[in-house]
Amino acid sequence: MSIASLAAPGVRGLTPYQPGKPIGELERQFGLERIVKLASNENPLGASPKALEVVRRILGGSHRYPDGSGFELKAALAEKLGVEPAQIVLGNGSNDVLDLVARVFLAPGLNAVYSEHAFAVYPIATQTAGAAGKVAPAHDGSRGPRFGHDLEAMLERVDAGTRVVFVANPNNPTGTLLGRSELHSFLSALPERIVAVVDEAYFEYAPASDYPNALDWLGEFPTLVVTRTFSKAYGLAGLRVGYAVAGVEVADLLNRARQPFNVNALGLAAAAAALEDTEFLEATVRANGAGLRRLEAGFHERSLDFIPSAGNFLSFDLGRPGAPVFDALLREGVIVRPVGNYGLPNHLRVSVGTAEEIDIFFAALDRVLAP
Ligand SMILES: *Cc1c(COP(=O)(O)O)cnc(C)c1O
């Protein structure tokens, strides 16, 4: 008997999500002392100090279950976002709510549509729910930003079995951004039975000018789901808090399938505190802009192509396989992210770090690429 054959068919075809290499693992592997991790789009400024203060204060209450309804965090979010608490679904990271959408709206015989080079959790969630993923080719550069979502191609993939579409804006690992009118036309063109997920994990970083804040359209599209996270700009990746905002009926369905205590007590309290820490958020966004410009300048200087990014990371093109360069950078104590599994074998993704971290990254890259 093959144990693998016991798994649900969708799970058999999956490969595990590849996270950024943890610092401790690299320390063990090469005995390195100074390691710069620019692999997981974490906040180089750390966590919001207000959030950390709260965590320290409530740590002693860890024997208690968290508030399974997330009352206080939902109230704070509702006030900040101008929605009702009943429209919010909290998750153990926004990955958890992406998975909830798949479990609630997908099933064998149905499918989800997403783009080539889109975030890796979409296929995992889709296939685990027993559904099929339909991948639309990304822009080739002729009608939209190269590697970005081609919404027309996505629409063409929609068929009678489609129940969910996933749109990442900006997308990871490409950093590409969709404009307001193109995203709105896409949502308008979708049949009503389809749940459109707009994943705004990097919303805080995206430039304000033409950014389509999808929350504005919740009234117009009753099956729209907008997901956001405290992992990126708020610096709370390790505490795992994300959320979805949707119409009340969709949110209710998602909440039915949610595990009762899916967000831990430290995460709930830290997220609520971080939400009020506008000073930290502003400093983060400012530092990110400066970091992106530093990265761009460095790549220009070295004549390396990169995909212009609206996030806190940037994927650059080595013109040859990225995996060996990734390995060589590890030996230099610098962790970036290979993106071959995203269909970008010649690219590597580097997260925006502090100025010092970026300089260390480029110095290591120069050593690695030296003829
Ligand atoms: C990082 C990321 C997420 C969310 O991560 P969580 O830590 O689970 O909140 C979601 N979508 C995209 C596109 C991301 O890059």
Side-chain angles (χ1 to χ4, degrees):
M1 180 196 72
S2 136
I3 291 183
S5 71
L6 301 176
V11 173
R12 269 179 251 156
L14 286 176
T15 46
Y17 178 82
Q18 291 175 352
K21 196 180 191 65
I23 290 175
E25 193 177 308
L26 190 59
E27 278 170 353
R28 288 194 295 276
Q29 210 173 352
F30 297 129
L32 293 166
E33 267 172 19
R34 191 175 65 172
I35 290 173
V36 170
K37 184 183 177 212
L38 299 173
S40 302
N41 304 342
E42 294 150 346
N43 190 328
L45 304 186
S48 147
K50 291 206 168 121
L52 292 181
E53 195 184 302
V54 169
V55 166
R56 279 188 210 102
R57 201 172 69 230
I58 67 168
L59 198 54
S62 292
H63 56 297
R64 302 281 181 208
Y65 275 102
D67 171 6
S69 74
F71 179 86
E72 283 176 19
L73 177 56
K74 283 208 273 194
L77 279 168
E79 158 127 29
K80 172 136 187 152
L81 304 174
V83 300
E84 295 300 318
Q87 292 181 262
I88 299 172
V89 182
L90 300 179
N92 186 34
S94 58
N95 286 338
D96 188 25
V97 292
L98 295 171
D99 191 57
L100 268 178
V101 170
R103 287 199 285 128
V104 168
F105 293 104
L106 294 174
L110 301 176
N111 69 70
V113 171
Y114 40 83
S115 174
E116 182 187 17
H117 314 307
F119 187 47
V121 167
Y122 310 152
I124 294 177
T126 300
Q127 286 176 236
T128 304
K134 297 186 79 182
V135 182
H139 276 307
D140 61 9
S142 58
R143 287 179 304 117
R146 191 163 173 226
F147 305 112
H149 290 12
D150 180 342
L151 295 179
E152 280 177 37
M154 288 179 69
L155 265 185
E156 282 167 19
R157 293 294 179 289
V158 169
D159 64 21
T162 306
R163 285 292 179 283
V164 174
V165 300
F166 289 105
V167 173
N169 200 40
N171 181 46
N172 167 22
T174 59
T176 46
L177 191 66
L178 296 161
R180 204 174 163 81
S181 69
E182 67 177 318
L183 184 54
H184 186 265
S185 313
F186 172 76
L187 295 174
S188 308
L190 285 174
E192 272 180 355
R193 63 162 194 287
I194 292 180
V195 173
V197 178
V198 180
D199 176 348
E200 296 186 340
Y202 300 95
F203 140 83
E204 293 86 356
Y205 291 117
S209 50
D210 187 37
Y211 184 72
N213 177 346
L215 291 182
D216 293 347
W217 300 326
L218 285 172
E220 192 177 344
F221 304 114
T223 53
L224 173 63
V225 176
V226 183
T227 63
R228 295 194 183 164
T229 182
F230 286 92
S231 297
K232 306 286 160 56
Y234 289 101
L236 299 179
L239 288 178
R240 315 297 307 126
V241 190
Y243 59 96
V245 191
V248 173
E249 285 169 283
V250 167
D252 171 56
L253 290 169
L254 295 174
N255 271 317
R256 290 187 209 182
R258 192 175 55 79
Q259 294 292 320
F261 304 104
N262 64 329
V263 186
N264 71 80
L266 302 181
L268 285 173
L275 208 54
E276 299 198 339
D277 199 346
T278 45
E279 205 182 316
F280 178 77
L281 189 66
E282 281 163 18
T284 292
V285 171
R286 247 193 333 270
N288 190 64
L292 268 182
R293 286 192 294 277
R294 198 175 190 91
L295 280 172
E296 289 168 357
F299 289 123
H300 277 308
E301 215 176 288
R302 290 160 180 83
S303 301
L304 288 170
D305 261 345
F306 58 86
I307 311 174
S309 172
N312 66 340
F313 56 87
L314 202 150
S315 288
F316 61 101
D317 187 354
L318 290 151
R320 57 169 160 125
V325 177
F326 165 73
D327 283 330
L329 284 171
L330 286 183
R331 287 167 197 282
E332 299 282 338
V334 175
I335 315 175
V336 294
R337 190 72 157 266
V339 283
N341 56 336
Y342 286 90
L344 298 167
N346 288 357
H347 285 76
L348 290 174
R349 191 193 71 193
V350 59
S351 304
V352 172
T354 61
E356 190 198 359
E357 288 172 327
I358 292 171
D359 291 348
I360 292 172
F361 157 73
F362 276 122
L365 186 66
D366 288 343
R367 285 193 295 276
V368 165
L369 295 182

